[in-house]
Every structure is written in structure tokens, then in C-alpha cells.
Amino acid sequence: MAKNRLQELHDVGQSIWLDSIDRRMLHDGELDRRIRDDALTGMTSNPTIFQKALASSNAYDEQITEAEEIDAVRDAEDREGLTSWQVFELLETTDVRDACDHFAAVYSSTRGADGYVSIEVSPGVAGSADATIEEARRLWKTVDRPNVMVKVPGTYQGAIAVRRLIAEGINVNITLLFAIQAHERVIDAYLAGLEDRVKANKPIDGLSSVASFFVSRVDTEIDKRLDALITKAAPAEKERLEMLKGRAAIANAKLAYRLFTQKFAGPRWEALAKKGARVQRPLWASTSTKNPKYRDVMYVEELIGPDTVDTMPPATIDAFRDHGAIDRTVDKKVAAAEGLLKEIEAVGISMEEVTEQLLDEGIASFQKSFDELIAGLESKIGSLAPGGK
């Protein structure tokens, strides 16, 4: 029998995480099947994922009803009731805790190197390190599992939060990374947080972190800008611009991996590694192909390599299992990747401008999903209440 392509992907050193969570898969055996058959070793969540899960399922109705019954008792006793935000946090922490338990065997067998489930701080705290830290602490304490990771956005304030959270012994997944400079900031924050723990005589061998570097969204934006240039270009120039489409995202991620290999080498890192520190693995996010003209697993195939994670939605996992090609690619043709990005800059597209825009849009998108999630939850609470419709 031929080996599952996903198992082969795992065997070359890349962890496969599921970019999805819902209560149904936690209880109907699907998640356990994927862990067993597809070498799944982790899971990520975000406001958009939870918004879809709550909107498409009645699996949460019983817990919502129980929470509202408790709420009614509090009201009768003149005590402060639960807000919609608190009800949501109750639902998501329950799911993440249960998911952590499903991955407990992976976490144990890898001695804490894998088996993590991510839970994200709300988008509203992205501009404040203190607010991010406060919320991260609460989520960490509420889930209360060693294999949970708290997701923090890769902003300037997020990097400050990363250092302090790592210093406190909280696993961190830094999300919405698009720029190489932002990636370097969070690597430095992780290393500094580990050093802070060493100075405080605290262990660092049980900590884990990933840096979620987003991929396909880069091509979506750059392709749009290339198309605008193509409409105005001379025929010879149009062909050159067309050749640049669909290539920037992978090139950008390859440079991120090169940075990772550079930063986790040398005396500073070796001093931490001797005390049991783990590298902060690059995690490739947004690896589903948005443009139907592109191969549906291209962002997975071109970023395969050791000490990496690829978080994929179910459809991308299924596609790779069906026809994905396995080869170590993440550190190949890096000079060509660098040259491609220079060429994109030369035609007038600023990578700095693109990545800053994508970060802002990412936070705004998650905020929109969160607002819709809370509105949908309030509607569901109303429909489940006695006399509700």
C-alpha cells in the first residue's frame, strides 16, 4: 500500500496542522481520524474560523443554554451576568481545551515539540501590548493545558507582548506576519523572552513558539498591482509583468525561512539551546490557493522543509493527500527568490507597502469576523431563550 502523501510530508520534517476547528469534529471522530491517518499534529483557530463554526452548527446550543441559565440565576441574585463576549470565550476555550486533549498523545510522544492548538487574542487588543498580555494570560489560564498556544498579532506592540509572555512561560503563536522585518522582530522577541527566563533562573525547555508567516495573500495583492501595471504597459513589458505573477508569496516565504536558519544559529542561540530551548518554527499560513489558475497545492509544495509547520484548511489537506508532490523545496532557489522580489520592487511595487497593507487588512478582517460572531451569538442566545424564535 502506498504511503499517505501527508505522512510523507511529515516524514521530511514538516508538521501538518489543521486550520479549522468546530465542535462537531471534536466529537464525531473526524479529528482523531485525521490525527491517525493524515499525520495531523496540531490545530489553529481564529475569529473567522469560530464565526463560521458558530454560524453553521447547533452543536453549541446546549452550552449556550446552560450559560444563559446560570446567567438568569445571577440576575435573580443581583449579580453581574455574562456578556456575549464572555459566552463566546466560554465556548471557544471549551473547544480549544478539548482539542488540546485530542492532541495530548502527540504532545507527549514528541516531548512537547508538537501537538499544539492555538487560540487567538481578540483583534481589538492588537494595538496594545498590555491589553494583549492581559488577555493572553486569561486564555492561557482558562484553557489550562500545556499544549495550548496563544496567538498574538505580529504588530510592533505584539512583539513587545511576545517577549513578556515567553518570559512568563506562555507558549505563543505570532500571527499575521507578512514582512521579513516583522518576522525578525518576533524572532528577537522570542529569544529575548527566553533570555529573560534564564536570568530569572526559570526553565526554558518546556516552551514552544511558532511564527505564522502568511503566504497566498501576498500574491493576491501583488498580482492585483501587477494587473494594474499590465493594462498600461507596452506589449513587450506586459509579458515581463505577467511572468512575475503568482511568484512573490513563495519567494517572500523562502527569505523568511532563510532568516529563521540564520537567527537560530551562532553563539546567542547555542547558549539557549544548551538549556533546552526549542527553535521558533516558521508556520506557513494562508496556504490555500486563492487564484483558480494556480495549482491548488502550490503553496504547500514549494515550502517543504525541516522545522516548519504548514497549517491548512481541510480542502487543502485533502488536495495534497490526493496529488501533492513531496520534495525539500523551502531552501532551494533562494537567490532566485531574492532576485524576483528585487524585480517586483523595480517595476514600482513596494513590498513594504504591500505587507503593511496586508497586516492592517488582516486585523480588520478578523475584527469584522469577531463583530459578526458576537452579533450572531447574541441572535442565537435570543432564539434559544424561553419564548425566543
Side-chain angles (χ1 to χ4, degrees):
M1 176 187 260
K3 186 182 286 188
N4 185 323
R5 288 181 175 88
L6 296 164
Q7 183 63 56
E8 291 185 65
L9 186 61
H10 177 269
D11 290 347
V12 298
Q14 184 165 78
S15 293
I16 306 160
W17 289 8
L18 181 66
D19 193 25
S20 182
I21 188 170
D22 67 67
R23 192 156 292 185
R24 175 195 55 78
M25 73 167 62
L26 295 174
H27 298 290
D28 69 2
E30 180 186 346
L31 181 58
D32 289 332
R33 178 187 62 77
R34 286 184 177 275
I35 293 171
R36 181 185 66 247
D37 297 343
D38 292 342
L40 198 69
T41 58
M43 176 178 270
T44 52
S45 67
N46 60 44
T48 302
I49 288 170
F50 271 110
Q51 187 249 335
K52 290 177 181 176
L54 283 165
S56 63
S57 173
N58 61 4
Y60 299 88
D61 292 2
E62 183 178 350
Q63 191 177 16
I64 292 170
T65 301
E66 289 175 357
E68 289 306 298
E69 288 172 353
I70 293 170
D71 218 18
V73 171
R74 285 176 168 171
D75 286 344
E77 296 174 351
D78 292 327
R79 293 162 60 198
E80 187 176 344
L82 294 174
T83 64
S84 297
W85 158 259
Q86 289 170 322
V87 173
F88 162 63
E89 199 167 283
L90 175 66
L91 300 176
E92 71 160 345
T93 53
T94 299
D95 275 5
V96 170
R97 186 183 304 111
D98 288 348
C100 284
D101 291 342
H102 282 274
F103 284 102
V106 175
Y107 178 79
S108 176
S109 65
T110 61
R111 298 184 179 181
D114 217 334
Y116 290 90
V117 181
S118 295
I119 186 169
E120 187 156 357
V121 299
S122 59
V125 301
S128 167
D130 289 340
T132 296
I133 291 163
E134 181 182 353
E135 194 166 312
R137 286 171 178 160
R138 186 177 70 250
L139 292 171
W140 173 261
K141 183 177 180 180
T142 303
V143 175
D144 192 26
R145 293 293 186 273
N147 58 327
V148 67
M149 276 188 178
V150 181
K151 288 177 82 173
V152 172
T155 59
Y156 283 99
Q157 292 299 310
I160 295 170
V162 167
R163 176 174 181 171
R164 289 166 59 185
L165 291 170
I166 291 296
E168 291 183 20
I170 295 174
N171 301 320
V172 183
N173 174 345
I174 303 92
T175 188
L176 291 174
L177 292 172
F178 298 94
I180 302 297
Q181 297 86 344
H183 188 202
E184 184 167 20
R185 258 198 319 272
V186 300
I187 292 175
D188 287 338
Y190 174 64
L191 295 173
L194 292 174
E195 289 165 342
D196 291 343
R197 279 186 71 78
V198 170
K199 289 174 186 174
N201 293 315
K202 294 179 180 178
I204 59 173
D205 57 341
L207 271 168
S208 192
S209 178
V210 295
S212 293
F213 204 84
F214 279 56
V215 187
S216 67
R217 295 188 196 184
V218 173
D219 274 344
T220 300
E221 179 57 31
I222 288 181
D223 283 3
K224 184 169 69 176
R225 296 184 182 213
L226 286 168
D227 282 335
L229 293 173
I230 288 167
T231 60
K232 304 171 186 176
E237 182 67 5
K238 283 184 180 183
E239 185 176 352
R240 176 193 172 208
L241 294 170
E242 282 285 355
M243 291 293 292
L244 296 176
K245 290 171 65 176
R247 299 169 62 195
I250 290 168
N252 197 41
K254 284 178 181 281
L255 297 192
Y257 187 79
R258 182 179 67 180
L259 175 69
F260 157 74
T261 61
Q262 291 168 344
K263 298 291 281 188
F264 288 95
R268 184 185 187 188
W269 169 244
E270 288 166 6
L272 292 167
K274 286 178 183 177
K275 295 183 179 296
R278 296 190 181 96
V279 297
Q280 181 189 65
R281 293 181 292 171
L283 179 151
W284 311 128
S286 184
T287 54
S288 60
T289 306
K290 308 300 187 289
N291 189 332
K293 294 179 182 178
Y294 299 156
R295 182 170 166 80
D296 59 356
V297 290
M298 66 181 251
Y299 295 116
V300 182
E301 291 176 334
E302 293 296 329
L303 296 172
I304 297 173
D307 292 319
T308 60
V309 180
D310 197 321
T311 183
M312 307 178 228
T316 304
I317 286 180
D318 294 343
F320 194 89
R321 187 198 306 109
D322 181 69
H323 53 264
I326 297 95
D327 188 22
R328 178 167 172 162
T329 51
V330 71
D331 50 4
K332 290 182 178 178
K333 301 179 181 177
V334 178
E338 194 168 29
L340 177 86
L341 294 181
K342 287 179 180 177
E343 195 171 351
I344 286 171
E345 293 275 354
V347 301
I349 297 175
S350 165
M351 284 297 294
E352 181 178 1
E353 185 181 300
V354 167
T355 54
E356 285 180 1
Q357 176 183 321
L358 289 172
L359 174 58
D360 290 342
E361 289 177 350
I363 293 170
S365 175
F366 282 169
Q367 184 64 58
K368 182 174 181 287
S369 293
F370 183 75
D371 292 343
E372 290 174 354
L373 184 156
I374 295 299
L377 182 57
E378 288 174 348
S379 176
K380 179 165 279 198
I381 289 171
S383 70
L384 294 172
K389 294 181 180 179

